[in-house]
Amino acid sequence: AQKITQTQPGMFVQEKEAVTLDCTYDTSDQSYGLFWYKQPSSGEMIFLIYQGSYDEQNATEGRYSLNFQKARKSANLVISASQLGDSAMYFCAMSMNTGFQKLVFGTGTRLLVSP
Amino acid sequence: DADVTQTPRNRITKTGKRIMLECSQTKGHDRMYWYRQDPGLGLRLIYYSFDVKDINKGEISDGYSVSRQAQAKFSLSLESAIPNQTALYFCATSDHGTSGDGYTFGSGTRLTVV
């Protein structure tokens, strides 16, 4: 069975600094997808970044990058130049294959960005 | 208009009542999902459907049922609501592609069972 582990319940970072949110996963599948979502206090799920298991390069989307280490089964999210608006809950998730099926989520990390 | 619309946005209901949460989408996606979010537990899959004739149980389907009335509509029912079903419920859709934003979530329904 697939499993996502986020070991940091909460993280603090100062504005303009970089922060890494940890995510490890467990699967026996060769084909899978890894996602990061942001959930602000309003509750909606906002897609941030995606990495397919066969993608050799780390995904990047603006200030977000995914540090994909396949052998270690980790998919950490790096946010560069944090902004106050980055304060939110962040979820790592995995799909069973890269063609999108049901997602398995981690328990989330709450990020607080201070001025 | 939102691509995935959930109604109602908020609902308070009494223990034992039957309640339906509705989801409609304009994405044209075949696959639809219902997730539940509880504090500290992330999102967990309740039911999913890959097309109108295909309904599958997820991780936590007990106490819930679903109906896929059309490609665009997927409803979640609580047959007899109980307080521990108080949660934030999300409907989602997905396509068959490989772009990361292939998953689309609704805005969520906050359900309180008293």
Side-chain angles (χ1 to χ4, degrees), chain B residues 16-60:
Chain B
K17 292 290 188 182
R18 184 178 188 274
I19 182 169
M20 179 181 288
L21 309 184
E22 299 189 356
C23 177
S24 63
Q25 54 120 341
T26 58
K27 298 286 291 185
H29 289 169
D30 290 327
R31 302 174 180 185
M32 298 187 73
Y33 311 81
W34 277 103
Y35 291 89
R36 165 181 171 161
Q37 183 181 9
D38 296 280
L41 293 178
L43 278 72
R44 294 179 292 165
L45 183 64
I46 307 173
Y47 271 95
Y48 61 103
S49 169
F50 285 173
D51 65 41
V52 175
K53 295 181 180 179
D54 175 75
I55 303 288
N56 303 279
K57 292 183 177 181
E59 182 186 353
I60 52 165

Side-chain angles (χ1 to χ4, degrees), chain B residues 40-89:
Chain B
L41 293 178
L43 278 72
R44 294 179 292 165
L45 183 64
I46 307 173
Y47 271 95
Y48 61 103
S49 169
F50 285 173
D51 65 41
V52 175
K53 295 181 180 179
D54 175 75
I55 303 288
N56 303 279
K57 292 183 177 181
E59 182 186 353
I60 52 165
S61 60
D62 287 349
Y64 301 94
S65 62
V66 290
S67 171
R68 185 83 183 264
Q69 300 97 320
Q71 189 215 26
K73 298 192 176 210
F74 193 36
S75 301
L76 176 72
S77 293
L78 286 67
E79 299 301 325
S80 179
I82 55 177
N84 76 2
Q85 291 176 314
T86 293
L88 180 59
Y89 290 85

